[in-house]
């Protein structure tokens, strides 16, 4: 009985952690990096943890990792973003490309993460 309770609590923490971090620590990290004269925001820092969460959730849900497929998707997304920026502006500015690309990676990873959360809840 105790192991089931701790497993449920662990899953709830895994499910809610990105949202809790975004809601409660966004202002704190923004103030910290503003003092450092940097444009880094909390979503920029969350991407590696979301990718790790995608790996863990896909292993729990499907029994295999979807990370290779996700990496192919985000690398393909990078090529598309690069081509769109090059066609639109006529040149490639690496700073704006990486900033735009990394934000798209964050959006993709948060969508994949919560899609896996939904699949895990449905499967169990």
């Amino acid at each position: 009985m105790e192991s089931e309770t701790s497993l449920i609590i662990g899953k709830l923490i895994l499910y809610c952690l990105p949202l809790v971090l975004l809601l409660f620590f966004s202002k704190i990290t923004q103030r910290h990096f503003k003092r450092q004269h940097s444009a880094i925001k909390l979503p920029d820092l969350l991407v590696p943890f979301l990718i790790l969460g995608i790996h863990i959730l896909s292993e729990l849900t499907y029994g295999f990792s979807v990370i290779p497929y996700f990496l192919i998707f985000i690398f393909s997304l990078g090529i598309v973003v690069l081509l769109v920026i090059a066609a639109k502006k006529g040149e490639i500015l690496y700073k704006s490309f990486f900033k735009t690309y990394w934000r798209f990676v964050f959006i993709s990873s948060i969508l994949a993460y919560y899609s896996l959360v939904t699949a895990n809840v449905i499967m169990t």
Side-chain angles (χ1 to χ4, degrees), residues 4 21 27 32-33 37 46 53 56 58 67 102 119:
E4 287 181 31
L21 289 175
K27 294 287 184 192
H32 171 74
F33 284 112
H37 303 292
L46 271 179
I56 293 168
S58 63
I67 289 295
W102 197 249

Side-chain angles (χ1 to χ4, degrees), residues 90-104:
E91 64 182 352
I92 300 169
L93 301 172
Y94 289 106
K95 184 177 180 181
S96 66
F97 162 71
F98 284 119
K99 184 176 182 180
T100 304
Y101 171 67
W102 197 249
R103 300 291 159 84
F104 275 119

Side-chain angles (χ1 to χ4, degrees), residues 4 17-18 37 41 49-50 55 60 86 93 98 101:
E4 287 181 31
L17 189 63
H37 303 292
K41 295 185 181 347
F49 298 107
L50 286 171
H55 171 69
L60 286 174
L93 301 172
F98 284 119
Y101 171 67

Side-chain angles (χ1 to χ4, degrees), residues 1 8 11-12 18 22 31 34 37 39 43 53 55 58 65 67 75 82 86-87 89 91 95 97 104-105 119:
M1 184 70 179
I8 291 171
K11 281 187 176 183
L12 283 174
L22 276 174
R31 266 188 259 132
K34 191 178 263 189
H37 303 292
H55 171 69
S58 63
S65 179
I67 289 295
F75 293 149
L82 184 70
K89 294 187 179 181
E91 64 182 352
K95 184 177 180 181
F97 162 71
F104 275 119
V105 168

